[in-house]
């Protein structure tokens, strides 16, 4: 008998050649607006990658929520649906469509078909192209639900012929018209005056139970027979007497409902496989795998997993997520690793990177960490083309810290190094920082000593991390001691970053004066040359605390180290809170040869005026050298600020 889907495909394509030319730009705009509104909801039903969390996995819905990379997953599916719609909008040529799908690495499953059809509810032309393609190339992806969605799209006057053709195809597949589709299409037919079509639809719907209800009832009867008796010839005879033609939908539903009786489900699975009119598909294999994915059926689970692959089917991501979550909950770590390896070797739809991290963290924080399993995960991960990064190591380290097992870090690091992790200063620094956060300062220092003895402490950032860790813990004096020890061991040439970290630590604890004293001491005793950013940091912090004298002294040190004068913070501070004498003391420290440039004096005058301290501007003017007081730019400034009095004052000052 001819394939009904193939016949439908031929008729559908023959009726709308070159349909893409009929889709106007306005239609396309409406299409994308509809997609943005509807795909967000419908994509929630699609399969997607899941991210593991450390939360307790309580139910299947919780599992999916916890393991989902929520916003990223939604965005990914929205983009995928948009691409699919664009592909089917551009062409109805099967070869072109296939090439486009392959070039963009897009695959279709039953949930994706349903989601895209929901998105295309307001775009019947594109929906027809899409459904025709699925009917011909991917007919196994069509279900009663997807067919009913297409009926809802075709349920209008201009597509009534195609509507009834699809109804006939569905009858041959054993699918009926669902209640929602009946209501939607009835309203459409009535509104367009299609009286005969409305009556025919009513007759079809009234004469039979909707497909979904029918499947549910048959499923319940099948499950009841299987549950009530031990599997044997009696059960088989009852099933045969039902006269049911088992479909993929029905078998999948039965296996789902028999989940609490996994061995009975397996016997039914094997029995129905022997029926000449039935062949297991991906859905059936996955439903069986979910039912068997438990400790007391583990051998049978792996048998089905291998059978699935041998049959050319694949374990779906939803199955992997649900079963692996069950393994984690029951502490079946070996099977969880086996399942991860099984999925990673499938060649497509590999678990996300977060799954690797989740496994590593679970193994590392177990009562007796199995490093063989740990290494297996690393091997599988890297052999699939992935690279071990610091973020993965940090994730494991975080879990070790939370579990109070930071002592396991060395064998964890060693295992990860064997598979390509580069243990650089950032990696070592993360260990030291976590020790300090736990206030395990002795362990942090011991770790640094080991690095030093092995020659791995050459990067000063490791020392800086130890100092930062002490500062974060409030141990500023201890951090200062470690900085001095750093100078003793490494000299003063490569300690600038660590010194700035220490200065920040002082300031964060409101110990700016102590920071100033320590800096002066290091400069005088150890000939340390702080960086410009360190000087700038401490200068601002001192001025914020009103320590003008100390901050001014830093100007002299900066000049001695060849840095340009840092004048802006001082002008701002003096203009707001200082005196004319303060202004003169600051400018003496920034002098070039004998005097600062005239521009520096002008900026100070302007800052006083801007702060509304005109009297102090005049006071400061009186203290400046005669060459400054008589400078034309200074006279012009005072004239502009006080047109009458300022000119006389400035002129008198210039003569005196």
């Amino acid at each position: 008998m001819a394939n009904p889907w193939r016949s439908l495909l031929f008729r559908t394509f023959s009726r709308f050649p070159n349909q893409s030319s009929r889709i106007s730009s306005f239609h396309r705009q409406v299409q994308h607006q509809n997609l943005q509104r509807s795909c967000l909801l419908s994509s929630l039903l699609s399969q997607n990658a899941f991210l593991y969390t450390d939360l307790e996995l309580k139910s299947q819905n919780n599992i999916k929520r916890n393991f989902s990379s929520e916003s990223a997953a939604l965005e990914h599916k929205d983009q995928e649906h948009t691409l699919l719609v664009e592909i089917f909008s551009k062409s109805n040529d099967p070869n072109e469509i296939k090439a486009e799908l392959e070039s963009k690495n897009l695959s279709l499953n039953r949930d994706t078909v349903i989601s895209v059809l929901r998105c295309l509810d307001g775009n019947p032309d594109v929906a027809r192209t899409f459904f025709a393609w699925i009917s011909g190339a991917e007919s196994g992806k069509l279900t009663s639900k997807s067919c009913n969605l297409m009926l809802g799209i075709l349920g209008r006057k201009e597509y009534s012929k195609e509507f009834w053709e699809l109804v006939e195809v569905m009858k041959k597949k054993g699918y009926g018209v669902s209640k929602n589709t009946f209501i939607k299409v009835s309203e459409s037919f009535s509104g367009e005056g299609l009286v005969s079509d409305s009556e025919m639809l009513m007759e079809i719907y009234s004469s039979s139970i909707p497909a979904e209800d029918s499947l549910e009832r048959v499923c319940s009867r099948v499950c009841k027979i299987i549950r009530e008796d031990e599997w044997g010839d009696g059960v088989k005879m009852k099933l045969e007497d039902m006269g049911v033609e088992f479909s993929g939908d029905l078998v999948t539903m039965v296996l789902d409902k028999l989940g609490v009786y996994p061995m009975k489900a397996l016997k039914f699975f094997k029995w129905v496989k022997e029926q000449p009119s039935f062949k297991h598909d991906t859905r059936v294999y996955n439903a069986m795998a979910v039912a068997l994915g438990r400790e007391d059926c583990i051998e049978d689970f792996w048998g089905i997993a291998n059978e699935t692959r041998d049959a050319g089917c694949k374990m779906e991501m939803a199955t992997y997520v649900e079963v692996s979550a069950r393994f984690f909950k029951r502490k079946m770590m070996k099977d969880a690793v086996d399942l991860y390896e099984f999925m990673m070797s499938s060649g497509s739809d590999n678990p996300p990177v977060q799954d690797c991290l989740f496994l590593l963290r679970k193994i590392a924080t177990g009562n007796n960490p199995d490093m063989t399993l740990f290494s297996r995960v690393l091997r599988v991960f890297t052999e699939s083309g992935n690279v071990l990064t610091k973020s993965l190591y940090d994730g494991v380290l975080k879990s070790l810290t939370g579990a109070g097992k930071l002592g396991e870090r060395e064998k964890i690091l060693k295992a990860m190094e064997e598979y390509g992790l580069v243990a650089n200063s950032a990696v070592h620094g993360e260990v030291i920082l976590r020790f300090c956060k736990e206030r395990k300062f002795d362990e942090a220092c011991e770790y640094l000593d080991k690095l030093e003895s092995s020659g791995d402490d050459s990067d000063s950032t490791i020392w800086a991390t130890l100092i930062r860790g002490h500062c974060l813990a409030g141990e500023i004096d201890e951090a200062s001691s470690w900085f001095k020890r750093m100078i003793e061991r490494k000299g003063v040439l490569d300690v600038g970053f660590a010194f700035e970290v220490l200065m920040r630590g002082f300031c964060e604890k409101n110990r700016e004066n102590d920071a100033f004293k320590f800096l002066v001491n290091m400069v005088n005793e150890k000939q340390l040359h702080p960086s410009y950013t360190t000087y700038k940091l401490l200068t601002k912090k001192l001025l914020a605390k009103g320590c003008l004298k100390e901050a001014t002294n830093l100007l002299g040190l900066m000049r001695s180290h060849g840095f340009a004068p840092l004048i802006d913070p001082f002008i701002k501070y003096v203009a707001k809170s200082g005196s004319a004498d303060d202004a003169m003391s600051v400018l003496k420290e920034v002098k070039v040869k004998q005097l600062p440039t005239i521009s520096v004096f002008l900026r100070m005058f302007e800052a006083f005026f801007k702060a509304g301290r005109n009297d102090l501007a005049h006071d400061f003017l009186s203290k400046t050298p005669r060459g400054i007081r008589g400078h034309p730019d200074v006279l012009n400034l005072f004239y502009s600020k006080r047109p009458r009095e300022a000119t006389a004052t400035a002129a008198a000052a210039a003569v005196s």
Side-chain angles (χ1 to χ4, degrees):
M1 182 176 69
N3 187 329
W5 297 125
R6 187 178 301 277
S7 300
L8 178 64
L9 169 69
F10 176 78
R11 292 195 299 273
T12 304
F13 269 125
S14 65
R15 263 193 302 279
F16 51 100
N18 302 320
Q19 70 156 349
S20 61
S21 63
R22 306 205 311 258
I23 302 176
S24 65
S25 62
F26 172 76
H27 195 159
R28 289 178 182 275
Q29 292 174 5
V30 173
Q31 166 190 320
H32 289 294
Q33 291 171 357
N34 288 338
L35 279 174
Q36 291 175 353
R37 290 194 296 269
S38 62
C39 280
L40 181 62
L41 176 60
S42 64
S43 63
L44 290 171
L45 301 175
S46 300
Q47 296 179 10
N48 215 320
F50 294 86
L51 301 178
Y52 291 125
T53 68
D54 288 324
L55 299 176
E56 183 67 14
L57 307 175
K58 296 181 179 179
S59 66
Q60 180 174 353
N61 289 335
N62 258 347
I63 290 167
K64 292 181 179 179
R65 284 196 299 270
N66 290 342
F67 285 1
S68 174
S69 176
E70 296 166 352
S71 59
L74 287 174
E75 181 180 354
H76 172 74
K77 271 303 174 190
D78 286 345
Q79 293 172 351
E80 183 178 277
H81 292 160
T82 301
L83 283 173
L84 286 169
V85 171
E86 289 177 353
I87 290 171
F88 287 96
S89 297
K90 289 189 298 184
S91 173
N92 58 23
D93 183 278
N95 294 326
E96 292 181 4
I97 291 173
K98 182 179 179 181
E100 281 284 323
L101 293 174
E102 291 177 351
S103 68
K104 292 181 170 56
N105 196 27
L106 293 173
S107 60
L108 298 169
N109 56 39
R110 290 178 176 84
D111 289 333
T112 304
V113 171
I114 291 170
S115 298
V116 172
L117 284 173
R118 283 197 171 111
C119 292
L120 294 173
D121 185 61
N123 298 275
D125 286 335
V126 181
R128 292 159 73 205
T129 304
F130 177 71
F131 192 82
W133 160 262
I134 300 298
S135 300
E138 303 278 354
S139 60
K141 303 296 191 298
L142 290 176
T143 63
S144 175
K145 183 177 290 187
S146 56
C147 289
N148 270 279
L149 286 171
M150 192 62 206
L151 282 181
I153 295 171
L154 294 173
R156 57 187 71 187
K157 187 175 184 178
E158 61 265 41
Y159 306 120
S160 62
K161 185 176 181 181
E162 293 173 35
F163 174 89
W164 292 113
E165 288 176 349
L166 179 55
V167 169
E168 289 302 314
V169 172
M170 290 172 63
K171 282 182 180 180
K172 294 177 182 179
K173 297 292 291 183
Y175 299 157
V177 178
S178 69
K179 181 179 180 180
N180 289 337
T181 301
F182 168 71
I183 294 172
K184 178 180 178 181
V185 177
S186 293
E187 292 177 352
S188 176
F189 282 172
S190 298
E192 295 182 321
L194 301 176
V195 178
S196 60
D197 290 274
S198 296
E199 292 175 350
M200 191 183 306
L201 181 62
M202 174 65 76
E203 182 179 347
I204 290 175
Y205 182 73
S206 302
S207 64
S208 64
I209 301 172
E212 288 80 359
D213 293 341
S214 177
L215 282 177
E216 286 285 355
R217 292 190 179 189
V218 174
C219 175
S220 296
R221 289 169 56 197
V222 171
C223 291
K224 184 178 180 181
I225 292 172
I226 295 173
R227 284 196 303 263
E228 287 182 345
D229 295 313
E230 290 296 323
W231 184 267
D233 292 339
V235 172
K236 295 178 184 178
M237 187 175 299
K238 289 180 181 179
L239 292 175
E240 290 171 356
D241 290 343
M242 289 179 65
V244 175
E245 183 177 346
F246 287 96
S247 65
D249 288 338
L250 178 57
V251 174
T252 300
M253 191 179 297
V254 170
L255 293 175
D256 287 340
K257 289 187 178 295
L258 288 176
V260 293
Y261 303 96
M263 297 316 297
K264 288 189 174 185
L266 180 60
K267 290 175 181 177
F268 169 74
F269 173 88
K270 292 179 178 179
W271 173 79
V272 78
K273 185 180 180 182
E274 297 172 356
Q275 307 306 305
S277 61
F278 182 78
K279 182 180 179 181
H280 287 328
D281 59 15
T282 298
R283 286 178 304 159
V284 174
Y285 278 118
N286 277 270
M288 192 69 255
V290 170
L292 294 173
R294 42 194 285 172
E295 189 172 9
D296 54 345
C297 305
I298 195 63
E299 290 185 6
D300 292 305
F301 168 79
W302 286 115
I304 290 298
N306 291 322
E307 185 179 334
T308 301
R309 183 158 54 189
D310 293 342
C313 301
K314 65 180 180 179
M315 183 176 291
E316 296 174 340
M317 189 60 65
T319 301
Y320 163 72
V321 169
E322 183 173 352
V323 174
S324 58
R326 200 180 299 158
F327 288 166
F328 291 138
K329 187 175 182 179
R330 299 180 184 182
K331 302 187 185 305
M332 300 167 62
M333 293 310 303
K334 180 182 180 302
D335 292 292
V337 173
D338 288 341
L339 183 56
Y340 177 74
E341 186 174 24
F342 181 88
M343 288 296 289
M344 290 293 283
S345 64
S346 65
S348 62
D349 294 333
N350 287 343
V353 173
Q354 289 79 5
D355 285 25
C356 173
L357 174 59
F358 187 80
L359 270 171
L360 295 177
R361 291 166 67 177
K362 284 292 185 182
I363 296 170
T365 56
N367 291 333
N368 294 301
D370 189 333
M371 294 309 298
T372 301
L373 289 181
F374 193 89
S375 295
R376 274 185 61 196
V377 175
L378 296 175
R379 176 182 57 77
V380 172
F381 182 74
T382 53
E383 285 181 354
S384 298
N386 299 298
V387 178
L388 296 182
T389 61
K390 178 180 176 294
S391 62
L392 275 174
Y393 178 67
D394 290 348
V396 178
L397 210 60
K398 182 178 179 180
S399 292
L400 289 175
T401 304
K405 294 189 174 187
L406 202 52
E408 304 285 343
R409 71 197 179 280
E410 290 186 5
K411 58 184 180 182
I412 295 297
L413 179 58
K414 183 178 179 181
M416 296 186 76
E417 283 182 313
E418 290 178 3
Y419 287 93
L421 177 68
V422 179
N424 54 21
S425 59
V427 171
H428 293 308
E430 187 66 28
V431 177
I432 290 174
L433 192 60
R434 291 198 175 277
F435 271 131
C436 292
K437 287 181 178 179
E438 293 288 303
R439 301 193 68 82
K440 296 179 179 179
F441 301 115
D442 291 340
E443 288 89 338
C445 297
E446 288 174 7
Y447 190 88
L448 181 60
D449 288 338
K450 287 183 180 180
L451 292 176
E452 186 178 23
S453 62
S454 63
D456 289 336
D457 72 326
S458 57
D459 193 331
S460 62
T461 57
I462 299 177
W463 286 81
T465 303
L466 178 63
I467 292 169
R468 178 61 177 163
H470 280 84
C471 290
L472 289 173
E475 301 292 333
I476 306 299
D477 294 330
E478 188 66 22
S480 302
S481 298
W482 272 101
F483 180 77
K484 292 178 181 178
R485 196 178 309 180
M486 180 182 180
I487 290 180
E488 292 173 0
R489 297 184 184 181
K490 303 178 73 65
V492 296
L493 296 180
D494 191 28
V495 297
F497 176 65
F499 185 65
E500 183 169 332
V501 167
L502 178 60
M503 293 293 100
R504 288 185 182 277
F506 271 112
C507 295
E508 287 168 359
K509 297 301 177 181
N510 297 316
R511 295 179 57 181
E512 288 81 5
N513 274 313
D514 291 335
F516 169 75
K517 293 175 183 177
F518 190 84
L519 182 147
V520 172
N521 184 50
M522 289 294 100
V523 170
N524 293 336
E525 292 187 6
K526 304 295 183 180
Q527 287 72 54
L528 176 70
H529 283 207
S531 67
Y532 181 83
T533 56
T534 301
Y535 275 123
K536 185 176 180 180
L537 166 72
L538 190 53
T539 296
K540 290 184 175 181
K541 294 293 185 179
L542 287 169
L543 290 175
K545 290 292 183 179
C547 303
L548 178 63
K549 180 180 178 182
E550 290 79 0
T552 304
N553 288 338
L554 289 181
L555 284 173
L557 292 176
M558 290 184 71
R559 188 174 66 251
S560 68
H561 290 152
F563 293 121
L566 183 66
I567 188 62
D568 288 346
F570 289 94
I571 292 177
K572 183 178 179 181
Y573 172 81
V574 172
K576 182 179 179 180
S577 308
S579 63
D581 290 332
D582 292 334
M584 285 303 302
S585 65
V586 168
L587 295 189
K588 286 178 181 178
E589 290 295 338
V590 298
K591 64 186 178 182
V592 180
K593 295 182 179 179
Q594 297 300 320
L595 290 173
T597 61
I598 186 63
S599 63
V600 177
F601 283 98
L602 285 170
R603 287 171 60 194
M604 185 66 79
F605 288 132
E606 289 172 344
F608 276 127
F609 283 125
K610 186 175 180 180
R613 305 180 73 191
N614 296 16
D615 291 341
L616 278 176
H618 290 290
D619 189 15
F620 176 50
L621 177 65
S622 67
K623 297 178 181 296
T624 60
R626 181 176 297 178
I628 298 298
R629 282 179 279 165
H631 195 281
D633 291 340
V634 173
L635 293 174
N636 289 337
L637 174 63
F638 275 80
Y639 180 82
S640 66
K641 297 299 179 182
R642 299 185 66 182
R644 295 180 179 177
E645 297 109 279
T647 303
T649 303
V655 174
S656 62

